[in-house]
Amino acid sequence: MNQDEAGLNYRVVKPVVQSEASPSESLPAKKAEMKECIDYEHMVKDYFQLDIDLESLYRQWSLADANFDKVAKNFVGVRMLKQDPVENLFAFICSSNNNIQRITGMVEKLCETYGNHLLTYEDVAYYTFPSIESLAEVKVESKLRTLGFGYRAKFIQQSAAKIMKNGGRDWLLNLRTVSYLEAKSSLMTLPGIGAKVADCICLMSLNHSVAIPVDTHVFQIAKANYVPHLSQTKSVTDKVYNEISAHFQSLFGTYAGWAHSCRFTSSESATARRQEKKCYRRDQREAGPWPCAKKEEMTIVFFFFFFYRGTSLCVNLKKSGCFAFIK
């Protein structure tokens, strides 16, 4: 997938079809029939949530918050992906005290070990994400520990087992239909999922756009620009977490989580630029490699959402665009 001035371009690569066609029905005809059954354009629009009128929301947020207005022009179109809740949940369990490179590696190991092989394309093997059932087996914890998951191995297996006990994938999908607070509370009953991870899952895969994940970066943004009476506060307690969430929700409304993500992105980008300049200055003074932050770690935000620019409501992808904010 890529973007040019004309719009969003994507190519579909499918697994090899094991045809059950009759001798009179050719394989190309069978593939054509399958293609007609899948609306790929709808899938892309749904994944990028292109039905959300983001331009209108940006105007609303800019009027409500001068800080947002200052950064909005440089971060046009921070758009949350509509991710699969099973993949999203277990990926976030992997994210605990981790960096983007290791998170990606763990998710790939999960797929390679417990998923099904889809195809090999350009010498890269692709697998499905594991089912909840496969991750709920008791032996999963010990296997994942041998693969380097550490304490997360226990949380993955135990959470999968509890989800199965609650009703499996249907239980997770049902959290899209209940209130945000009920969905968050339900997620927090799972091993390894606290308030921040629950909010991330609510925001990124359960359609609760009001959710505000509060991490260290958001905490610093809030202290500096929104809740100055917390300026001397050193850590994010439950009380502080809830106060920051409530402030952003009151300020930005129903899609507060989307607005917060734009502010988070602008903060991360500024941090990345400072780190790059610092590394550059060091390299000018002395020869040899420096332990500068890796690009994957500096752009961790891009693991979770992409950017979109174009018409307010995208009906025709050729008239708009979608791009990842990565150089």
Side-chain angles (χ1 to χ4, degrees):
M1 179 180 291
N2 60 62
Q3 177 194 344
D4 57 26
E5 292 302 319
L8 178 66
N9 306 296
Y10 63 91
R11 178 171 55 177
V12 177
V13 180
K14 297 182 291 185
V16 175
V17 178
Q18 298 297 325
S19 177
E20 298 178 359
S22 64
S24 61
E25 186 178 13
S26 67
L27 183 57
K30 189 69 176 179
K31 288 185 176 182
E33 179 185 340
M34 289 183 62
K35 184 176 181 180
E36 290 177 0
C37 295
I38 302 175
D39 188 345
Y40 293 109
E41 184 168 315
H42 172 75
M43 291 173 62
V44 171
K45 290 179 179 179
D46 184 61
Y47 187 63
F48 287 99
Q49 304 201 65
L50 299 183
D51 60 320
I52 303 300
D53 186 353
L54 200 55
E55 288 189 12
S56 176
L57 288 174
Y58 262 56
R59 289 193 294 270
Q60 173 187 321
W61 298 331
S62 293
L63 289 173
D65 177 28
N67 294 307
F68 182 91
D69 188 47
K70 290 178 182 178
V71 302
K73 63 178 68 70
N74 295 321
F75 294 90
V76 176
V78 179
R79 184 173 290 273
M80 303 303 301
L81 301 180
K82 187 176 181 179
Q83 301 181 57
D84 179 86
V86 175
E87 297 179 19
N88 194 232
L89 186 149
F90 290 105
F92 269 110
I93 291 179
C94 292
S95 74
S96 176
N97 295 315
N98 224 338
N99 60 57
I100 190 63
Q101 189 173 13
R102 292 197 68 230
I103 297 168
T104 301
M106 287 182 178
V107 172
E108 289 177 348
K109 288 178 182 177
L110 279 179
C111 296
E112 292 169 1
T113 307
Y114 295 105
N116 297 317
H117 181 257
L118 282 173
L119 77 162
T120 299
Y121 179 69
E122 294 183 348
D123 297 325
V124 178
Y126 293 89
Y127 298 82
T128 61
F129 196 86
S131 65
I132 304 171
E133 294 89 338
S134 64
L135 295 177
E137 296 180 9
V138 176
K139 60 184 179 181
V140 166
E141 179 183 346
S142 59
K143 176 63 176 179
L144 291 182
R145 285 187 181 275
T146 66
L147 295 175
F149 281 68
Y151 65 87
R152 304 169 193 83
K154 176 178 67 175
F155 293 150
I156 290 172
Q157 189 278 324
Q158 291 182 351
S159 286
K162 188 161 187 177
I163 292 172
M164 289 304 300
K165 184 178 179 179
N166 290 341
R169 181 178 176 84
D170 288 342
W171 176 79
L172 265 183
L173 292 174
N174 186 62
L175 297 183
R176 288 177 169 175
T177 68
V178 303
S179 70
Y180 153 62
L181 290 178
E182 183 178 347
K184 179 178 179 178
S185 297
S186 297
L187 290 171
M188 290 177 66
T189 65
L190 301 176
I193 295 183
K196 184 185 73 174
V197 168
D199 273 328
C200 287
I201 298 167
C202 282
L203 176 63
M204 300 172 192
S205 62
L206 295 179
N207 299 342
H208 295 295
S209 55
V210 74
I212 303 287
V214 179
D215 67 354
T216 301
H217 301 284
V218 175
F219 178 46
Q220 297 301 327
I221 293 171
K223 288 200 302 180
N225 299 292
Y226 295 97
V227 280
H229 67 273
L230 295 178
S231 60
Q232 301 304 311
T233 303
K234 303 300 182 182
S235 60
V236 183
T237 63
D238 289 345
K239 180 181 178 181
V240 169
Y241 187 107
N242 292 332
E243 181 176 354
I244 293 173
S245 292
H247 180 86
F248 282 121
Q249 289 163 351
S250 175
L251 182 63
F252 294 122
T254 304
Y255 284 89
W258 289 47
H260 134 280
S261 296
C262 182
R263 292 292 288 115
F264 177 84
T265 305
S266 65
S267 173
E268 283 291 275
S269 179
T271 300
R273 289 196 298 271
R274 287 195 297 270
Q275 289 174 327
E276 287 175 341
K277 289 180 180 179
K278 185 176 181 180
C279 292
Y280 176 77
R281 288 196 296 269
R282 285 176 171 177
D283 286 340
Q284 293 301 303
R285 290 197 301 267
E286 297 184 31
W290 283 88
C292 303
K294 295 181 179 179
K295 182 177 181 181
E296 292 85 359
E297 295 171 344
M298 292 189 292
T299 57
I300 186 171
V301 65
F302 307 121
F303 178 66
F304 302 119
F305 43 78
F306 282 71
F307 292 67
Y308 164 75
R309 67 181 182 187
T311 55
S312 299
L313 290 174
C314 178
V315 177
N316 184 347
L317 290 176
K318 293 182 179 179
K319 295 181 180 179
S320 60
C322 194
F323 62 100
F325 194 79
I326 300 177
K327 294 180 180 179

PDB file of all heavy atoms in Angstrom, residues 1-10 309 316-323:
ATOM      1  N   MET A   1       0.841  -1.188   0.000  1.00  0.00           N
ATOM      2  CA  MET A   1       0.000   0.000   0.000  1.00  0.00           C
ATOM      3  C   MET A   1       0.878   1.240   0.000  1.00  0.00           C
ATOM      4  O   MET A   1       1.879   1.311   0.709  1.00  0.00           O
ATOM      5  CB  MET A   1      -0.916  -0.004   1.234  1.00  0.00           C
ATOM      6  CG  MET A   1      -1.820   1.218   1.334  1.00  0.00           C
ATOM      7  SD  MET A   1      -2.879   1.167   2.803  1.00  0.00           S
ATOM      8  CE  MET A   1      -3.962  -0.196   2.364  1.00  0.00           C
ATOM      9  N   ASN A   2       0.519   2.217  -0.811  1.00  0.00           N
ATOM     10  CA  ASN A   2       1.226   3.490  -0.812  1.00  0.00           C
ATOM     11  C   ASN A   2       0.302   4.592  -1.305  1.00  0.00           C
ATOM     12  O   ASN A   2      -0.804   4.334  -1.783  1.00  0.00           O
ATOM     13  CB  ASN A   2       2.496   3.423  -1.672  1.00  0.00           C
ATOM     14  CG  ASN A   2       2.185   3.073  -3.119  1.00  0.00           C
ATOM     15  OD1 ASN A   2       1.490   3.807  -3.824  1.00  0.00           O
ATOM     16  ND2 ASN A   2       2.710   1.947  -3.584  1.00  0.00           N
ATOM     17  N   GLN A   3       0.772   5.808  -1.168  1.00  0.00           N
ATOM     18  CA  GLN A   3      -0.017   6.959  -1.564  1.00  0.00           C
ATOM     19  C   GLN A   3       0.752   7.809  -2.562  1.00  0.00           C
ATOM     20  O   GLN A   3       1.960   7.984  -2.450  1.00  0.00           O
ATOM     21  CB  GLN A   3      -0.350   7.821  -0.348  1.00  0.00           C
ATOM     22  CG  GLN A   3      -1.114   9.092  -0.703  1.00  0.00           C
ATOM     23  CD  GLN A   3      -1.139  10.080   0.444  1.00  0.00           C
ATOM     24  OE1 GLN A   3      -0.851   9.705   1.563  1.00  0.00           O
ATOM     25  NE2 GLN A   3      -1.464  11.307   0.167  1.00  0.00           N
ATOM     26  N   ASP A   4       0.036   8.324  -3.554  1.00  0.00           N
ATOM     27  CA  ASP A   4       0.603   9.326  -4.433  1.00  0.00           C
ATOM     28  C   ASP A   4      -0.387  10.475  -4.513  1.00  0.00           C
ATOM     29  O   ASP A   4      -1.381  10.501  -3.778  1.00  0.00           O
ATOM     30  CB  ASP A   4       0.917   8.739  -5.820  1.00  0.00           C
ATOM     31  CG  ASP A   4      -0.309   8.126  -6.492  1.00  0.00           C
ATOM     32  OD1 ASP A   4      -1.446   8.549  -6.168  1.00  0.00           O
ATOM     33  OD2 ASP A   4      -0.138   7.219  -7.325  1.00  0.00           O
ATOM     34  N   GLU A   5      -0.133  11.429  -5.382  1.00  0.00           N
ATOM     35  CA  GLU A   5      -1.005  12.598  -5.466  1.00  0.00           C
ATOM     36  C   GLU A   5      -2.418  12.237  -5.919  1.00  0.00           C
ATOM     37  O   GLU A   5      -3.371  12.960  -5.647  1.00  0.00           O
ATOM     38  CB  GLU A   5      -0.395  13.634  -6.416  1.00  0.00           C
ATOM     39  CG  GLU A   5       0.886  14.277  -5.901  1.00  0.00           C
ATOM     40  CD  GLU A   5       0.679  14.965  -4.560  1.00  0.00           C
ATOM     41  OE1 GLU A   5      -0.376  15.616  -4.384  1.00  0.00           O
ATOM     42  OE2 GLU A   5       1.558  14.851  -3.689  1.00  0.00           O
ATOM     43  N   ALA A   6      -2.543  11.118  -6.612  1.00  0.00           N
ATOM     44  CA  ALA A   6      -3.863  10.728  -7.121  1.00  0.00           C
ATOM     45  C   ALA A   6      -4.715  10.046  -6.059  1.00  0.00           C
ATOM     46  O   ALA A   6      -5.939  10.078  -6.124  1.00  0.00           O
ATOM     47  CB  ALA A   6      -3.703   9.802  -8.327  1.00  0.00           C
ATOM     48  N   GLY A   7      -4.086   9.427  -5.085  1.00  0.00           N
ATOM     49  CA  GLY A   7      -4.856   8.760  -4.049  1.00  0.00           C
ATOM     50  C   GLY A   7      -4.130   7.602  -3.414  1.00  0.00           C
ATOM     51  O   GLY A   7      -2.898   7.526  -3.428  1.00  0.00           O
ATOM     52  N   LEU A   8      -4.893   6.701  -2.857  1.00  0.00           N
ATOM     53  CA  LEU A   8      -4.362   5.546  -2.157  1.00  0.00           C
ATOM     54  C   LEU A   8      -4.308   4.350  -3.093  1.00  0.00           C
ATOM     55  O   LEU A   8      -5.284   4.001  -3.741  1.00  0.00           O
ATOM     56  CB  LEU A   8      -5.257   5.216  -0.962  1.00  0.00           C
ATOM     57  CG  LEU A   8      -4.898   3.999  -0.129  1.00  0.00           C
ATOM     58  CD1 LEU A   8      -3.575   4.227   0.589  1.00  0.00           C
ATOM     59  CD2 LEU A   8      -5.997   3.709   0.885  1.00  0.00           C
ATOM     60  N   ASN A   9      -3.140   3.726  -3.165  1.00  0.00           N
ATOM     61  CA  ASN A   9      -2.966   2.567  -4.033  1.00  0.00           C
ATOM     62  C   ASN A   9      -2.677   1.340  -3.174  1.00  0.00           C
ATOM     63  O   ASN A   9      -1.871   1.398  -2.246  1.00  0.00           O
ATOM     64  CB  ASN A   9      -1.789   2.787  -4.989  1.00  0.00           C
ATOM     65  CG  ASN A   9      -1.930   4.084  -5.766  1.00  0.00           C
ATOM     66  OD1 ASN A   9      -2.848   4.244  -6.546  1.00  0.00           O
ATOM     67  ND2 ASN A   9      -1.017   5.020  -5.528  1.00  0.00           N
ATOM     68  N   TYR A  10      -3.341   0.250  -3.477  1.00  0.00           N
ATOM     69  CA  TYR A  10      -3.056  -0.969  -2.736  1.00  0.00           C
ATOM     70  C   TYR A  10      -3.168  -2.174  -3.664  1.00  0.00           C
ATOM     71  O   TYR A  10      -3.853  -2.144  -4.678  1.00  0.00           O
ATOM     72  CB  TYR A  10      -4.001  -1.127  -1.541  1.00  0.00           C
ATOM     73  CG  TYR A  10      -5.461  -1.278  -1.888  1.00  0.00           C
ATOM     74  CD1 TYR A  10      -6.030  -2.536  -2.080  1.00  0.00           C
ATOM     75  CD2 TYR A  10      -6.287  -0.157  -2.004  1.00  0.00           C
ATOM     76  CE1 TYR A  10      -7.372  -2.681  -2.388  1.00  0.00           C
ATOM     77  CE2 TYR A  10      -7.638  -0.287  -2.313  1.00  0.00           C
ATOM     78  CZ  TYR A  10      -8.172  -1.550  -2.491  1.00  0.00           C
ATOM     79  OH  TYR A  10      -9.512  -1.692  -2.799  1.00  0.00           O
ATOM     80  N   ARG A 309      -5.357  12.183   4.850  1.00  0.00           N
ATOM     81  CA  ARG A 309      -5.637  13.545   4.427  1.00  0.00           C
ATOM     82  C   ARG A 309      -6.544  13.468   3.212  1.00  0.00           C
ATOM     83  O   ARG A 309      -6.467  12.548   2.423  1.00  0.00           O
ATOM     84  CB  ARG A 309      -4.358  14.302   4.067  1.00  0.00           C
ATOM     85  CG  ARG A 309      -3.655  13.770   2.829  1.00  0.00           C
ATOM     86  CD  ARG A 309      -2.397  14.556   2.545  1.00  0.00           C
ATOM     87  NE  ARG A 309      -1.763  14.061   1.331  1.00  0.00           N
ATOM     88  CZ  ARG A 309      -0.577  14.467   0.908  1.00  0.00           C
ATOM     89  NH1 ARG A 309       0.101  15.331   1.597  1.00  0.00           N
ATOM     90  NH2 ARG A 309      -0.072  13.979  -0.215  1.00  0.00           N
ATOM     91  N   ASN A 316     -14.710   8.009  -2.408  1.00  0.00           N
ATOM     92  CA  ASN A 316     -13.874   7.445  -3.460  1.00  0.00           C
ATOM     93  C   ASN A 316     -12.416   7.598  -3.047  1.00  0.00           C
ATOM     94  O   ASN A 316     -11.913   8.704  -2.915  1.00  0.00           O
ATOM     95  CB  ASN A 316     -14.126   8.177  -4.779  1.00  0.00           C
ATOM     96  CG  ASN A 316     -13.345   7.575  -5.927  1.00  0.00           C
ATOM     97  OD1 ASN A 316     -12.443   6.767  -5.728  1.00  0.00           O
ATOM     98  ND2 ASN A 316     -13.689   7.973  -7.132  1.00  0.00           N
ATOM     99  N   LEU A 317     -11.732   6.479  -2.817  1.00  0.00           N
ATOM    100  CA  LEU A 317     -10.349   6.544  -2.359  1.00  0.00           C
ATOM    101  C   LEU A 317      -9.447   7.284  -3.326  1.00  0.00           C
ATOM    102  O   LEU A 317      -8.426   7.831  -2.951  1.00  0.00           O
ATOM    103  CB  LEU A 317      -9.810   5.129  -2.139  1.00  0.00           C
ATOM    104  CG  LEU A 317     -10.401   4.373  -0.944  1.00  0.00           C
ATOM    105  CD1 LEU A 317      -9.848   2.963  -0.904  1.00  0.00           C
ATOM    106  CD2 LEU A 317     -10.090   5.085   0.351  1.00  0.00           C
ATOM    107  N   LYS A 318      -9.807   7.320  -4.605  1.00  0.00           N
ATOM    108  CA  LYS A 318      -8.970   7.994  -5.583  1.00  0.00           C
ATOM    109  C   LYS A 318      -9.005   9.507  -5.404  1.00  0.00           C
ATOM    110  O   LYS A 318      -8.204  10.225  -5.968  1.00  0.00           O
ATOM    111  CB  LYS A 318      -9.427   7.630  -7.000  1.00  0.00           C
ATOM    112  CG  LYS A 318      -9.185   6.162  -7.352  1.00  0.00           C
ATOM    113  CD  LYS A 318      -9.609   5.857  -8.768  1.00  0.00           C
ATOM    114  CE  LYS A 318      -9.349   4.394  -9.113  1.00  0.00           C
ATOM    115  NZ  LYS A 318      -9.780   4.075 -10.499  1.00  0.00           N
ATOM    116  N   LYS A 319      -9.962   9.991  -4.622  1.00  0.00           N
ATOM    117  CA  LYS A 319     -10.088  11.430  -4.403  1.00  0.00           C
ATOM    118  C   LYS A 319      -9.484  11.854  -3.067  1.00  0.00           C
ATOM    119  O   LYS A 319      -9.653  12.986  -2.646  1.00  0.00           O
ATOM    120  CB  LYS A 319     -11.566  11.832  -4.443  1.00  0.00           C
ATOM    121  CG  LYS A 319     -12.214  11.632  -5.807  1.00  0.00           C
ATOM    122  CD  LYS A 319     -13.661  12.081  -5.775  1.00  0.00           C
ATOM    123  CE  LYS A 319     -14.326  11.889  -7.130  1.00  0.00           C
ATOM    124  NZ  LYS A 319     -15.753  12.291  -7.108  1.00  0.00           N
ATOM    125  N   SER A 320      -8.829  10.934  -2.396  1.00  0.00           N
ATOM    126  CA  SER A 320      -8.243  11.270  -1.102  1.00  0.00           C
ATOM    127  C   SER A 320      -6.974  10.461  -0.915  1.00  0.00           C
ATOM    128  O   SER A 320      -6.486   9.847  -1.840  1.00  0.00           O
ATOM    129  CB  SER A 320      -9.251  10.970   0.013  1.00  0.00           C
ATOM    130  OG  SER A 320      -9.575   9.594  -0.017  1.00  0.00           O
ATOM    131  N   GLY A 321      -6.443  10.489   0.283  1.00  0.00           N
ATOM    132  CA  GLY A 321      -5.194   9.766   0.481  1.00  0.00           C
ATOM    133  C   GLY A 321      -5.041   9.261   1.888  1.00  0.00           C
ATOM    134  O   GLY A 321      -5.684   9.730   2.806  1.00  0.00           O
ATOM    135  N   CYS A 322      -4.170   8.327   2.058  1.00  0.00           N
ATOM    136  CA  CYS A 322      -3.903   7.755   3.360  1.00  0.00           C
ATOM    137  C   CYS A 322      -2.428   7.435   3.427  1.00  0.00           C
ATOM    138  O   CYS A 322      -1.923   6.783   2.527  1.00  0.00           O
ATOM    139  CB  CYS A 322      -4.744   6.510   3.562  1.00  0.00           C
ATOM    140  SG  CYS A 322      -4.804   5.926   5.236  1.00  0.00           S
ATOM    141  N   PHE A 323      -1.710   7.941   4.437  1.00  0.00           N
ATOM    142  CA  PHE A 323      -0.275   7.701   4.433  1.00  0.00           C
ATOM    143  C   PHE A 323       0.266   7.543   5.843  1.00  0.00           C
ATOM    144  O   PHE A 323      -0.283   8.088   6.784  1.00  0.00           O
ATOM    145  CB  PHE A 323       0.464   8.848   3.732  1.00  0.00           C
ATOM    146  CG  PHE A 323       0.307  10.187   4.394  1.00  0.00           C
ATOM    147  CD1 PHE A 323       1.291  10.688   5.218  1.00  0.00           C
ATOM    148  CD2 PHE A 323      -0.833  10.945   4.186  1.00  0.00           C
ATOM    149  CE1 PHE A 323       1.168  11.924   5.823  1.00  0.00           C
ATOM    150  CE2 PHE A 323      -0.978  12.176   4.786  1.00  0.00           C
ATOM    151  CZ  PHE A 323       0.016  12.683   5.607  1.00  0.00           C
TER     152      PHE A 323
END
